[in-house]
Amino acid sequence: MAQNVGMYREIKEALRQQIKNYLQSVGENIEVYPVPYQNIAFFPAVALELSSRRKPKVGVGVKQLELDMVVWVYTDILDAEDAESECLRLLELVEDAIEQDKTLGGVCHYLSIDDVVEFGTVQQGEASFLQGARLNVQIIKRFT
């Protein structure tokens, strides 16, 4: 079991680092947090969140770990139209970053980005004050 936790952390860190490195390479000073909203200090920001994990039976001697990650893109622009434009711009950068290497440097076998992205006001508790985008990414890792 500890092996799976180690793999999860390794995969999540590889995804975080790939996005962060790409954003820096295009001149964007945006932090990529390994945690969801409540621990974010500065905006705009990107955050990673595990939404589900599966270990389907693939075959004799072959195991597979499937992670569904949510990549959140946040902006704190108050004007709705400007916030939406900025979310779209940042989202495209994040998608480009993820698609740079779909094996995350060999840490996983494959990842795919969901075709559907949700946009809008992000609500945390009773407060709703951030514009954001929710991008779903599925990551597959096979091991023996």
Side-chain angles (χ1 to χ4, degrees):
M1 182 175 292
Q3 179 187 18
N4 290 336
V5 172
M7 275 192 277
Y8 160 69
R9 287 185 180 145
E10 181 182 22
I11 290 168
K12 187 175 184 182
E13 180 56 25
L15 178 60
R16 187 184 80 77
Q17 206 56 50
Q18 183 166 307
I19 295 170
K20 184 175 183 167
N21 290 345
Y22 182 83
L23 290 173
Q24 287 177 344
S25 77
V26 295
E28 295 288 338
N29 188 22
I30 299 171
E31 187 59 50
V32 181
Y33 294 89
V35 293
Y37 169 74
Q38 60 266 23
N39 294 323
I40 296 175
F42 301 102
F43 296 93
V46 174
L48 308 178
E49 178 181 15
L50 177 66
S51 66
S52 68
R53 174 199 57 90
R54 292 173 302 285
K55 294 194 302 188
K57 306 235 186 302
V58 179
V60 177
V62 178
K63 298 178 183 175
Q64 184 164 298
L65 177 66
E66 296 178 2
L67 302 174
D68 291 324
M69 300 287 294
V70 176
V71 179
W72 290 95
V73 176
Y74 298 112
T75 182
D76 61 348
I77 297 171
L78 297 177
D79 179 77
E81 190 173 340
D82 290 344
E84 182 179 76
S85 294
E86 182 65 0
C87 268
L88 283 167
R89 186 184 76 78
L90 294 175
L91 177 68
E92 287 180 12
L93 289 172
V94 169
E95 287 176 319
D96 289 346
I98 294 170
E99 291 176 343
Q100 288 290 306
D101 180 0
K102 290 187 176 189
T103 68
L104 301 175
V107 172
C108 67
H109 286 88
Y110 187 74
L111 65 78
S112 62
I113 298 174
D114 196 339
D115 292 338
V116 177
V117 178
E118 298 172 27
F119 290 92
T121 304
V122 177
Q123 295 182 312
Q124 294 296 323
E126 294 181 15
S128 60
F129 54 94
L130 295 172
Q131 291 291 322
R134 176 188 165 112
L135 176 68
N136 295 307
V137 177
Q138 183 184 52
I139 301 170
I140 297 172
K141 166 89 175 175
R142 291 184 194 94
F143 57 100
T144 55

